Amino acid sequence: MPFLAAYLEQGLGMSAALVGLVLGARNLSQQGLFILGGSMADRLGPRVVIIAGCALRTVGFGLFAFGNSLWLLLSASVLTGLAAALFYPAVRTYVALEAGDRKAEAFALLNVYATIGSLMGLLLGSVLFLADFRLCAVGAAAVFGVLTVAQAMVLPTRGVAPEGPSAKVLSDWREAFCNRRFLLFSIATTGMFTMENQLYLLLPEGALRAAGWKGAAGVLLAAGAIANMLFQLRITRALARNGGGTRWVSWGLVVMGLSFLPPLLVCGTPPPDGTGAAVARMLVMVTGSVLLFFGIMIAHPTAMEMIPGFGRESLTGTYFGLFYVFSGIAATGGNAVVGRTMDIGEQTGLYWLPWMCCLAFGLASAAAVGLLYRAGMLPVVPVPSGAPVAEGPVVGKVAGPTSGPAPGTAIVKRAAAPVVPMAPGAPSVVKSPNGTAPALESAASASEIVRPQDPARLPGPSRSGDDTADQPPL
């Protein structure tokens, strides 16, 4: 986006209004159509939508490379935004459906590769942009062209969920919009996306002022990317061993908020008078950046893991799409607030104001998620372990010792329905690939289902039925 803005203004001589129009068309087509991409993933299968998103981006970047008229550039901008609206929900849907009980770990791994890719793209784009923006656009089109072919050749096919979406798309959207728990969670996590976006707004500006060096922003991203590569999976697995990530999301948001405190030591100070002073100030800024990445590593994978648990498995894409609509609105509004505080701080000398604003975003978001957790309004996701696991606050009374589950069983909670404890002695028997096993019929409306512990795999939240097929390791 920065490369494109500079190209339109300097390379093509467009006015600021036209530059804003082209960039705005891209953002509008992306943020506004995320839910459409999610619905398409539910109805057509995420694989098809992923491939379509890659192909559309190839075309869009090709138009940026060879088009110089306003209409061609607007078309390219809309296509690249639409491609993102298709690609992102579909990828998250595919990961959520394929990862089984290892969703948090899968999203953590996805986060690692996304961070590496962002850093590589920034460095490669900076080099290509020094030559010509068209070369940068051709490089991007080539990358997405290769990805389109690769996804079509090697991405395994996955069918649509057994309990398919309703006949009307609007009915699916209404179901998601009317899910009060999901809406409250989406609103509560708006601070996470606002703080995440400061990696591209407030932190680079602060680093530039502190060190007086234009490459300071790249150092912050590089340090965060290295920390992400080294610690993301370790953190996610450690949280799983300590009660699951659900209870730690609010603490991750607290860490994200606290990451804006170290820059207070150097904000508003005069330019450095030597290399030593510049390095010392950069260490302070890097500390804040790495703390922000650590907070993201704690909160983000589990937040992604919880989203499918708010509704039916067949609407996983719809919920991801709607969540990204909320996150896009939050990022835009949050950036506007932070940008305004930056202006006020510059005008009044209150350079600490935007940093304290971001701290307030983090603490408020952490408090909101913590309240939802304590109220039992967050999905309780299963932890991939061979031992029975109890996670989250108690929202119902479990039967006593005489009627409780036998040793070696696990309680799988489906938070979308009222809590109805059930005894394990159901009379019916169902066949499985390994023989017969006691099972419960008429359990579709139950909140807690007692079944024999399967150390290999626990059913995911809000599943319409048991998953009998073994999932390949991640």
Side-chain angles (χ1 to χ4, degrees), residues 102-109 111 185 189 192 232 235-240 243-250 252 295-310 320 323 369 373 378-383 391 461:
R102 303 176 68 189
K103 288 183 179 65
E105 192 173 342
F107 282 116
L109 191 62
N111 197 22
F185 176 75
T189 53
M192 177 172 67
Q232 174 67 88
I235 288 174
T236 302
R237 289 165 179 166
L239 297 181
T246 305
R247 66 179 61 184
W248 296 101
V249 172
S250 57
I296 294 171
M297 285 186 265
I298 295 171
H300 192 270
T302 301
M304 294 293 102
E305 180 187 25
M306 283 192 287
I307 291 172
F310 284 104
F320 271 113
F323 185 78
V369 173
Y373 173 74
L378 299 181
V380 178
V381 295
V383 178
E391 181 181 354

Side-chain angles (χ1 to χ4, degrees), residues 172-374:
D172 296 339
W173 292 0
R174 188 181 304 113
E175 179 179 334
F177 271 109
C178 294
N179 190 324
R180 187 168 64 94
R181 296 187 310 123
F182 172 70
L183 293 181
L184 289 174
F185 176 75
S186 299
I187 295 171
T189 53
T190 54
M192 177 172 67
F193 295 100
T194 299
M195 292 184 290
E196 240 182 290
N197 272 263
Q198 301 320 305
L199 287 168
Y200 310 101
L201 178 62
L202 180 58
L203 282 169
E205 178 69 19
L208 176 61
R209 286 180 174 275
W213 175 45
K214 292 183 178 180
V219 174
L220 299 186
L221 292 175
I226 292 172
N228 190 276
M229 287 184 284
L230 293 177
F231 297 106
Q232 174 67 88
L233 286 175
R234 289 184 173 91
I235 288 174
T236 302
R237 289 165 179 166
L239 297 181
R241 291 193 300 267
N242 289 274
T246 305
R247 66 179 61 184
W248 296 101
V249 172
S250 57
W251 288 107
L253 294 170
V254 170
V255 174
M256 292 179 71
L258 294 178
S259 68
F260 294 93
L261 289 181
L264 291 175
L265 299 174
V266 296
C267 71
T269 56
D273 54 4
T275 303
V279 171
R281 294 181 183 186
M282 274 304 300
L283 288 177
V284 174
M285 296 302 302
V286 167
T287 300
S289 176
V290 170
L291 272 177
L292 180 58
F293 271 93
F294 269 102
I296 294 171
M297 285 186 265
I298 295 171
H300 192 270
T302 301
M304 294 293 102
E305 180 187 25
M306 283 192 287
I307 291 172
F310 284 104
R312 292 183 284 132
E313 183 186 71
S314 57
L315 293 185
T316 298
T318 300
Y319 277 92
F320 271 113
L322 183 56
F323 185 78
Y324 273 108
V325 170
F326 277 109
S327 67
I329 295 173
T332 303
N335 279 348
V337 172
V338 174
R340 180 58 180 160
T341 58
M342 291 171 67
D343 291 337
I344 294 175
E346 185 72 23
Q347 296 165 4
T348 61
L350 303 176
Y351 298 104
W352 51 266
L353 189 59
W355 305 97
M356 294 303 294
C357 178
C358 290
L359 172 63
F361 273 124
L363 297 182
S365 191
V369 173
L371 288 175
L372 292 178
Y373 173 74
R374 291 182 178 277

Side-chain angles (χ1 to χ4, degrees), residues 104-187:
E105 192 173 342
F107 282 116
L109 191 62
L110 186 65
N111 197 22
V112 171
Y113 283 107
T115 303
I116 297 172
S118 297
L119 182 61
M120 290 174 60
L122 181 63
L123 297 175
L124 179 61
S126 300
V127 173
L128 294 176
F129 184 67
L130 291 176
D132 183 41
F133 174 80
R134 291 184 175 86
L135 182 60
C136 186
V138 168
V143 169
F144 276 101
V146 172
L147 283 177
T148 303
V149 176
Q151 301 281 22
M153 292 178 61
V154 305
L155 190 65
T157 303
R158 191 190 201 284
V160 183
E163 182 189 344
S166 61
K168 296 181 179 180
V169 174
L170 291 179
S171 298
D172 296 339
W173 292 0
R174 188 181 304 113
E175 179 179 334
F177 271 109
C178 294
N179 190 324
R180 187 168 64 94
R181 296 187 310 123
F182 172 70
L183 293 181
L184 289 174
F185 176 75
S186 299
I187 295 171

